[in-house]
């Protein structure tokens, strides 16, 4: 067991000397990314009843995928960064339908989305520090696709499902920890403002709901500096 111990010691000695980000660096990060919607919605408009049904709401569950970051350092403190990921998939649900409509509650269907986000990132620490926390502010575009009703919802009489795409602001805190000259550990959390309108139909009339998806997005992984 001497070799691994030696390797660890070498790593510990080298890490503090590792030069963190400098102008012109390209950083590629990969890891597990979770989109955890903190959703809140309007009451659901049910055209067949010609009213918003008080106390109803739309729900979304969370999903984890492969996340990728591409960053380019303009200086040792400021960079630009693009967030990409494999498509997220979420269940969409209906809650709060009263009385004779209670049967409409439950899983409505599924949707997929991609939330590419372009951010400016700021690293306040000196580049001699192996620990590099950062703040990011960016713009997000969320494209929804493959919206599909569940077979249960179709059996209940729903038809079609559509979600509007969204533009919004993304806030981020993260940290890189340099393990070697090039390899880093990374953790990051984002809050992304994603607002959409979901539309389906029931009884031949529109059913509509405004949803603030506003997810917390967590990613942990490894990065490599080129
Ligand atoms: Ni919002």
């Amino acid at each position: 067991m001497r070799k691994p111990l030696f390797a660890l010691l070498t790593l510990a000695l080298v890490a503090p000397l590792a030069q963190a980000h400098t102008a012109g660096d390209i950083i590629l990060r990969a890891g597990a990314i979770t989109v955890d919607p903190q959703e809140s919605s309007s009451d659901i408009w049910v055209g067949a009843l010609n009213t918003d049904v008080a106390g109803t709401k739309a729900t979304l569950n969370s999903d984890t995928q492969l996340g990728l970051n591409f960053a380019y350092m303009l200086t040792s403190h400021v960079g630009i960064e693009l967030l990409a990921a494999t498509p997220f998939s979420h269940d969409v649900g209906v809650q709060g339908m009263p009385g004779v409509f209670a049967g409409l509650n439950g899983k409505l269907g599924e949707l997929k989305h991609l939330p590419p986000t372009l951010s400016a990132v700021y690293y306040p620490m000196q580049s001699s520090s192996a620990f590099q926390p950062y703040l990011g502010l960016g713009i997000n575009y969320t494209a929804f696709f493959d919206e599909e009703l569940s077979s249960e919802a179709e059996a209940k009489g729903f038809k079609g499902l559509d979600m509007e795409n969204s533009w919004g602001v993304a806030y981020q805190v993260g940290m890189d920890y340099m393990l070697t000259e090039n390899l880093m550990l990374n953790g990051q959390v984002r809050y992304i403002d994603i607002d959409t309108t979901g539309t389906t139909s029931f009884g031949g009339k529109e059913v509509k709901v405004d949803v603030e998806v506003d997810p917390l997005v967590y990613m942990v992984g490894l990065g490599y500096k080129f």
Side-chain angles (χ1 to χ4, degrees), residues 40 166 191-196 211-215:
S40 65
S166 165
Y191 172 80
I192 307 182
D193 187 20
I194 302 176
D195 302 331
T196 184
V211 186
E212 303 248 359
V213 183
D214 299 352

Side-chain angles (χ1 to χ4, degrees), residues 56-200:
T56 54
K57 63 178 179 178
T59 63
L60 291 164
N61 69 350
S62 69
D63 190 33
T64 300
Q65 292 292 333
L66 170 68
L68 296 171
N69 282 177
F70 306 95
Y72 178 75
M73 296 305 294
L74 300 167
T75 73
S76 57
H77 293 285
V78 177
I80 49 172
E81 185 212 78
L82 178 69
L83 170 68
T86 50
F88 294 94
S89 175
H90 300 271
D91 287 347
V92 185
V94 171
Q95 274 181 16
M97 284 288 182
V100 293
F101 299 103
L104 302 182
N105 291 319
K107 184 176 167 182
L108 183 67
E110 286 179 26
L111 58 81
K112 292 197 172 90
H113 72 92
L114 279 173
T117 303
L118 186 66
S119 301
V121 287
Y122 174 67
Y123 289 81
M125 304 284 278
Q126 290 307 308
S127 70
S128 55
S129 169
F131 177 62
Q132 291 286 335
Y134 59 94
L135 294 170
L137 182 65
I139 188 139
N140 164 266
Y141 178 69
T142 297
F144 293 97
F145 59 97
D146 281 0
E147 302 101 316
E148 270 178 7
L149 288 177
S150 64
S151 49
E152 303 94 295
E154 278 179 340
K156 288 172 189 170
F158 285 102
K159 276 207 177 73
L161 179 63
D162 180 66
M163 311 291 292
E164 259 170 38
N165 296 342
S166 165
W167 286 96
V169 177
Y171 307 87
Q172 179 187 14
V173 291
M175 68 105 207
D176 289 323
Y177 184 78
M178 303 308 295
L179 297 172
T180 72
E181 194 79 18
N182 298 94
L183 190 65
M184 70 199 78
L185 274 177
N186 174 262
Q188 50 180 284
V189 183
R190 287 167 213 252
Y191 172 80
I192 307 182
D193 187 20
I194 302 176
D195 302 331
T196 184
T197 299
T199 310
T200 176

Side-chain angles (χ1 to χ4, degrees), residues 29-34 67-69 83 186-189 217-221:
R29 301 191 194 94
I33 186 168
T34 299
L68 296 171
N69 282 177
L83 170 68
N186 174 262
Q188 50 180 284
V189 183
V217 179
Y218 311 97
M219 180 168 149
V220 285

Side-chain angles (χ1 to χ4, degrees), residues 42-47 52 164 197-200 206-210:
S42 65
D43 290 337
I44 300 173
W45 166 264
V46 181
D52 288 317
E164 259 170 38
T197 299
T199 310
T200 176
E206 201 170 58
V207 175
K208 217 170 183 174
V209 63
D210 295 325

